[in-house]
Amino acid sequence: MTKKTRYEAYALAVLLVLLAIAWYTGRAHDDVFTGVLAADNGKFEPLNIPDPSLKLDLLTHVQSQQYHGQHRNIFVEQPVAPPPDVVRAQKQAASAPAPPPPPPPLTLPATFYGIVTDPATGQRRACFSNTDSVYILPEGATLLNQFRVVKIGNNTVDVEEISSGRSTTLTLPQPGAGAPNVPPQAGQQ
C-alpha cells in the first residue's frame, strides 16, 4: 500500500465514524421528543366555539362605517383645529362690542364710626368724620353735598351718591378692629 492510499483509508474511516455518530444522535432525539408535551397528560379540551365560520354580514357592516370626526396628521406636533362652528362663534364674539365695565364701587371721603339715638325723640343719627370735621346726620340729610343718608339700621348705614344714584351700605366697625376710640355717649347703641 502506498502512502496515498493509506491516508485515503484513514479519511474514509473517520468519515464513517462521524456518519455513525450523527445517525445515532439524530435517532436519539427523535425518540425522546416524539409528541407535544402537555401538563394535563392528554386531557386536552378544545375551545367551545358555537359557529367558527366568518360572519361576513358583520364584517361588511363594520367596513361600511365612516369616521366623521376631525382628521389630523398624528406625526405633526400642532394643536387640533377647533370645529368650524366654534371658530364662527369666536369670530362673532370678537366682532361684537364689549359691554362697558361696571362703575367702580362707591367710596366715601368720610369714615363712618357710630350711631347715636336721641332719647327724647328716638331719632337715630349716623356719625361720620372727615380729617378735621365731624358730621352727625339723620336719615335724609346730605354728607359733603355729594351723599345722602338713606337709612340708618342698628349697626349699618345706607348711603346714596346724589349725582349717579349708586348706593352702598357701611357697617359699623367692631371695637378693637381698627375702630377709633370714641367715648360712649348717652343713648348710643
Side-chain angles (χ1 to χ4, degrees):
M1 244 187 171
T2 67
K3 201 173 186 185
K4 182 178 176 186
T5 57
R6 205 178 331 167
Y7 286 136
E8 289 175 354
Y10 291 143
L12 183 61
V14 169
L15 285 176
L16 286 176
V17 169
L18 288 177
L19 183 63
I21 291 172
W23 182 73
Y24 178 72
T25 57
R27 286 206 52 166
H29 289 293
D30 289 344
D31 291 342
V32 174
F33 300 109
T34 57
V36 176
L37 295 178
D40 293 337
N41 296 330
K43 296 180 183 176
F44 174 74
E45 291 183 23
L47 294 176
N48 185 13
I49 299 174
D51 185 14
S53 64
L54 287 177
K55 300 198 180 348
L56 296 176
D57 56 337
L58 294 176
L59 184 62
T60 56
H61 174 71
V62 169
Q63 288 175 345
S64 67
Q65 297 293 321
Q66 292 291 326
Y67 175 70
H68 297 291
Q70 285 188 327
H71 298 281
R72 63 180 284 241
N73 186 354
I74 62 171
F75 300 105
V76 176
E77 194 174 324
Q78 292 178 352
V80 178
D85 55 343
V86 173
V87 172
R88 203 172 313 117
Q90 288 175 349
K91 285 182 182 178
Q92 288 176 352
S95 65
L106 185 61
T107 57
L108 269 70
T111 304
F112 169 59
Y113 66 88
I115 297 173
V116 177
T117 304
D118 186 11
T121 61
Q123 185 179 19
R124 304 180 119 212
R125 293 185 178 148
C127 300
F128 297 93
S129 68
N130 180 7
T131 58
D132 296 331
S133 304
V134 175
Y135 304 97
I136 301 174
L137 305 172
E139 288 182 359
T142 60
L143 173 65
L144 302 172
N145 294 326
Q146 298 178 22
F147 305 99
R148 179 173 291 122
V149 177
V150 178
K151 182 180 177 188
I152 301 174
N154 287 336
N155 61 352
T156 59
V157 173
D158 293 337
V159 179
E160 177 184 40
E161 187 176 31
I162 297 172
S163 62
S164 66
R166 297 184 303 158
S167 63
T168 186
T169 301
L170 302 173
T171 305
L172 188 63
Q174 297 297 325
N181 275 340
V182 178
Q185 298 176 3
Q188 184 179 7
Q189 290 184 349

